[in-house]
Each structure stands twice: as C-alpha cells, then as structure tokens.
Amino acid sequence: MKDDTHAHGSARGEHQQLVEHFFRHESSRLNAALVRVFGWSRLELVEDMVQSALLEAMQHWKQRGIPDNPLAWIRTVAHRKVIDYLRREARSVSLENPATDVSAPDHMGELFADEVIQDSQLRLMFACCHPALSSEFQIVLVLKTLCGFSLKEIARGLLSTEEAMKKRFQRAKKLLVDQQIELSVPVPEELPARCVPIQRILYLLFHEGYRPSQGGEGFRLECCEEAIRLGTLLLQLPGIDSPSTKALVALMLLHQARLPGRTDPSGRLLFLEEQNRERWDWPLICRATDLLMQSMNDRSISRYHLEAGIIMLHCHQTDWHQTNWQEILNHYDLLMQLAPSPIYGLNRAIVVAQLHGPQAGLNAVAQIDDLHTLTKYHLLDATLGELHRKLGQNEIARCYFQQAITKTDSPDEKEMLHRRVAMCGG
C-alpha cells in the first residue's frame, strides 16, 4: 500500500481483517455449537445466521470500533439471530435437549465454552462421516460445515461446479435429517471403524491443499491447516487417539514442515532434490517425529504409518544424495501389500530408478497393475519423461513432458515441466 494511504488504510482494514479471520477460523466452530442445539433440520439457518453475524460485525465495528471481546460479540449475535428468526416465524424453539433454555445467559457460557465447542465439533465430524452417507456427501459436508468453505470454493477445489456442489450438499443434509443421524460421538467399541472415514477425508482434505494451486484463488493451504486442526482435535480425546490417527497427523505435519522449501525465492515450484532443506520447519519435523514414535507403541500398522515413515526418511537426511532409498523401497513394498494402488506403484518405480537406474524404473512402471487408470494423471507422463531423459532419450522425454503439461491446470506445475522440456534440448 502507498505511504500516503497506509495509516488510513490500516485503520480502515483492521476490522475487516479480524472479521475475515473469524469467518475462516471461527464460523465452523459456531456452526458446530449451534447445530448441536438446534438440530440438523436448521443447519442452513444456523449457517446463514452465523454469516449474517459476521457481516453485521463488519459494519458495526467499522462504525463503532472493535469491541473488547470480538469473539464473544459474534457468538452472542449469531445465537440471538437464530432465536429471533425462529420467534419471528412464530415457531417454538424445539431443541434436541428440551430442558435447555437457549436464551439464558448461563447457557450461553456453557454453549461456547472451549471444551463444549470441541465436543460439538467432534459430534459434527462423526455425523458428517456417518456410514449411511456416501464419501461424496461426507467430503462436501465436512468442507462446508466443519471447515467453513463456501460451495464455490469447494467446487473449485474438487474440479466441479457450484451448482453441482449445492445439489450434493442439499441431498446430504436431507439424508442427515431423514436418517435421523445423531450428533454424538460413537460408543468406544464403534470408534475404530467410525474413525476410518474421518481419517480418509482428512487425508484427502490435506492433499487437496498440498497440491500446487490449480490457478486463481483457492483454499489450498487452508485445507492443510483445517485437516491438521481437525486431526489434532481427534487426538485430544481418549479412545479416539488411535495409532493410525496419530500417524495420520504426523504425516500431515511432516508434509507441512516441508512447505517453506517447496518454492525458491521467486516463487517457482522446486523438485525435492532442488529444495533447500534449511528452509524446512525443523521444530515441526521433531514434533511430527515424536508423534509418529508414539503411534508405534501398538503393533498395528496403517498406510499412514508407512507414508509418514517415507517422509521422515527424507526429512532426516541433510541432502538428497544421502537418502536411504532402500529403506524407502521397503516402505513402498509394504504399502503395496497393505493398500495396493497404482499411485503407490508409480512412486515405488521412481525409488527403484534411484536404486537400480532409469531402465529398471521404466520396467517397474510397466509392471504396475491398473496402470491404465493413470492415463490422465500428469505425474505418470512426467515420471516417464524424467526416466527417458536420464537414459539420454531426449526426444521421447520431451514428448512425455509436453503431454504432462496438457494434463495439469496448475501454472506452477506447468512452469516446472517446461523447465524439464528445456533440459531435453532442441
């Protein structure tokens, strides 16, 4: 901002920045607390009133200044707006707990206590990931209600349309009401099975954020932050902090720790071998490593343990050339036994090439089951291009890199691949 407008602009924008912060980081907490009181049938009303309270804060604080406790101000206004709307519609306030007086000040304090909000979020998380709902419904519910993303953001992130996401969200919400899915944490014996879809969605949510941006404004890094926040929330309650959940959070933290090194000072995306490891967040790596070690107290092993182990092997070497490729290959071999996937197979082939040369890597790619499912996956072409480039087959390599460029919408990845094309000469 220019010097002559800086002071005025800063004063003018302080309230807006604070409201935007609350919108991204507190709206989902408000949704969870209020839906717990008013029920699934009023989910859309709750979301509308929370958004209305945030918009009112924008105007009110601009004119009268920011209150001493802005979060309490928003919580009170959102709660009052829901009550007022129901009263205007001449409805009785039908609560899931009829003995609770929502208008009482004491109840307000209980409703928004940190431990109650966390419990409400957990209840909402398990409800959104109920087995009665398909994975497509689960992901849009989690993104909308627990993460606070708009349908437009969700559509962009999932490569769909806003109208399609609106229909999916409406159908998911109707199922929640029709199936009478309760806002509750499952009993202890059900927790292991019920945690599985939650882990899967947090994993997908994180990787949606970790991918290079597909262009325009997105919710990429915020996806990472939300997945870690929700995963950490799971770890705070006994019976839910399973070894696999600990391993999943450790995996996400290890990826997050490497984010500062993914780009150079000019913002260009870097290959792993090009990254300055001093820019990685080493305290975060230590925290993730401790959590992963804790997760190994149990004999069970999950895909998250193995994936986190691979990232940890990368993190605990000072440079690319000292990487323990044999141990990483062992991890991928176990992954292919535990959860066979053509993506794991492709990553394994890259490791084979590091150990035994590019031709061995090409042979490993050719042996991947269901390789045809990756025909639209740009990293398959990028991998084949790199292996052929290392064999000195530059013309073939160039063709693969150019195919990969057409299969990604990410400007960052396109630029990276153009650099590989340039390395092929010609």
Side-chain angles (χ1 to χ4, degrees), residues 369-386:
D369 291 336
D370 297 325
L371 184 61
H372 66 279
T373 61
L374 301 182
T375 53
K376 296 183 180 180
Y377 186 48
H378 69 285
L379 291 183
L380 172 60
D381 294 286
T383 299
L384 292 172
E386 184 65 6

Side-chain angles (χ1 to χ4, degrees), residues 119-408:
D119 183 58
S120 298
Q121 288 181 294
L122 282 169
R123 290 167 179 257
L124 192 59
M125 194 187 311
F126 277 103
C128 289
C129 296
H130 194 278
L133 302 171
S134 69
S135 59
E136 288 185 342
F137 287 166
Q138 290 173 355
I139 188 68
V140 74
L141 280 170
V142 168
L143 290 172
K144 183 76 166 62
T145 62
L146 272 165
C147 302
F149 295 121
S150 69
L151 292 173
K152 183 177 181 180
E153 290 174 309
I154 296 170
R156 182 167 57 240
L158 300 182
L159 305 180
S160 185
T161 65
E162 185 175 358
E163 185 60 28
M165 289 302 101
K166 181 178 179 180
K167 290 179 180 178
R168 187 181 299 180
F169 178 66
Q170 294 295 341
R171 288 198 297 268
K173 189 182 69 171
K174 185 176 185 301
L175 269 174
L176 287 169
V177 176
D178 292 348
Q179 297 284 336
Q180 297 183 330
I181 293 175
E182 296 181 355
L183 281 159
S184 61
V185 175
V187 294
E189 55 268 26
E190 292 181 2
L191 281 175
R194 291 290 300 277
C195 275
V196 171
I198 291 179
Q199 291 171 346
R200 183 181 68 250
I201 284 178
L202 294 185
Y203 179 86
L204 292 173
L205 178 60
F206 183 88
H207 279 279
E208 180 61 36
Y210 198 74
R211 291 189 307 168
S213 173
Q214 299 297 303
E217 292 185 13
F219 56 92
R220 304 301 180 187
L221 294 182
E222 289 164 354
C223 280
C224 295
E225 293 168 357
E226 283 300 313
I228 291 172
R229 181 182 69 82
L230 294 173
T232 303
L233 187 62
L234 285 177
L235 294 179
Q236 293 176 2
L237 289 182
I240 302 180
D241 58 340
S242 64
S244 58
T245 303
K246 289 179 179 177
L248 172 60
V249 176
L251 170 62
M252 294 189 291
L253 291 174
L254 286 167
H255 276 304
Q256 187 185 44
R258 298 192 304 166
L259 278 173
R262 291 189 77 195
T263 56
D264 66 13
S266 67
R268 291 193 316 169
L269 201 61
L270 297 174
F271 290 96
L272 180 57
E273 62 265 32
E274 300 172 328
Q275 294 181 20
N276 179 358
R277 300 187 178 209
E278 292 182 0
R279 295 186 61 203
W280 292 356
D281 188 334
W282 289 97
L284 196 59
I285 290 172
C286 292
R287 176 186 161 195
T289 302
D290 288 343
L291 189 58
L292 185 59
M293 292 301 102
Q294 293 174 32
S295 77
M296 293 179 180
N297 292 335
D298 192 282
R299 290 186 177 182
S300 63
I301 187 170
S302 68
R303 58 184 291 193
Y304 308 120
H305 284 93
L306 294 170
E307 286 196 39
I310 290 169
I311 304 303
M312 190 173 70
L313 285 165
H314 282 296
C315 287
H316 286 209
Q317 295 298 335
T318 56
D319 65 57
W320 169 263
H321 300 291
Q322 295 182 3
T323 304
N324 187 341
W325 293 111
Q326 184 57 58
E327 189 59 32
I328 290 176
L329 180 62
N330 294 342
H331 278 64
Y332 274 116
D333 286 341
L334 286 172
L335 271 172
M336 291 299 288
Q337 294 176 29
L338 185 65
S341 154
I343 298 291
Y344 288 150
L346 183 61
N347 290 335
R348 180 186 177 279
I350 294 170
V351 177
V352 168
Q354 291 292 332
L355 283 167
H356 305 297
Q359 187 57 57
L362 286 171
N363 295 340
V365 171
Q367 294 168 7
I368 296 173
D369 291 336
D370 297 325
L371 184 61
H372 66 279
T373 61
L374 301 182
T375 53
K376 296 183 180 180
Y377 186 48
H378 69 285
L379 291 183
L380 172 60
D381 294 286
T383 299
L384 292 172
E386 184 65 6
L387 295 176
H388 282 287
R389 186 185 71 82
K390 289 182 176 179
L391 285 170
Q393 300 168 351
N394 288 336
E395 188 59 37
I396 298 175
R398 187 184 303 109
C399 290
Y400 276 119
F401 288 135
Q402 289 171 340
Q403 286 180 41
I405 289 169
T406 68
K407 295 179 183 179
T408 176

Side-chain angles (χ1 to χ4, degrees), residues 28-185:
S28 61
R29 291 160 58 87
L30 282 167
N31 289 338
L34 293 172
V35 168
R36 180 175 178 178
V37 174
F38 295 103
W40 279 122
S41 62
R42 297 190 177 110
L43 169 61
E44 199 163 2
L45 170 63
V46 164
E47 291 182 323
D48 288 345
M49 295 302 103
V50 168
Q51 186 171 8
S52 176
L54 289 162
L55 292 173
E56 185 173 321
M58 185 89 73
Q59 297 299 321
H60 188 90
W61 298 353
K62 181 179 180 180
Q63 297 171 1
R64 304 186 184 183
I66 299 172
D68 292 337
N69 191 337
L71 180 55
W73 190 98
I74 287 178
R75 288 173 171 176
T76 302
V77 171
H79 182 263
R80 173 178 54 77
K81 282 179 175 290
V82 177
I83 296 292
D84 289 349
Y85 180 90
L86 293 173
R87 286 173 176 165
R88 283 196 307 270
E89 294 296 312
R91 303 175 191 170
S92 61
V93 180
S94 176
L95 305 178
E96 294 191 357
N97 181 1
T100 305
D101 178 6
V102 298
S103 62
D106 290 344
H107 171 73
M108 280 286 295
E110 295 173 5
L111 178 63
F112 294 119
D114 285 343
E115 63 273 15
V116 176
I117 285 184
Q118 288 187 359
D119 183 58
S120 298
Q121 288 181 294
L122 282 169
R123 290 167 179 257
L124 192 59
M125 194 187 311
F126 277 103
C128 289
C129 296
H130 194 278
L133 302 171
S134 69
S135 59
E136 288 185 342
F137 287 166
Q138 290 173 355
I139 188 68
V140 74
L141 280 170
V142 168
L143 290 172
K144 183 76 166 62
T145 62
L146 272 165
C147 302
F149 295 121
S150 69
L151 292 173
K152 183 177 181 180
E153 290 174 309
I154 296 170
R156 182 167 57 240
L158 300 182
L159 305 180
S160 185
T161 65
E162 185 175 358
E163 185 60 28
M165 289 302 101
K166 181 178 179 180
K167 290 179 180 178
R168 187 181 299 180
F169 178 66
Q170 294 295 341
R171 288 198 297 268
K173 189 182 69 171
K174 185 176 185 301
L175 269 174
L176 287 169
V177 176
D178 292 348
Q179 297 284 336
Q180 297 183 330
I181 293 175
E182 296 181 355
L183 281 159
S184 61
V185 175

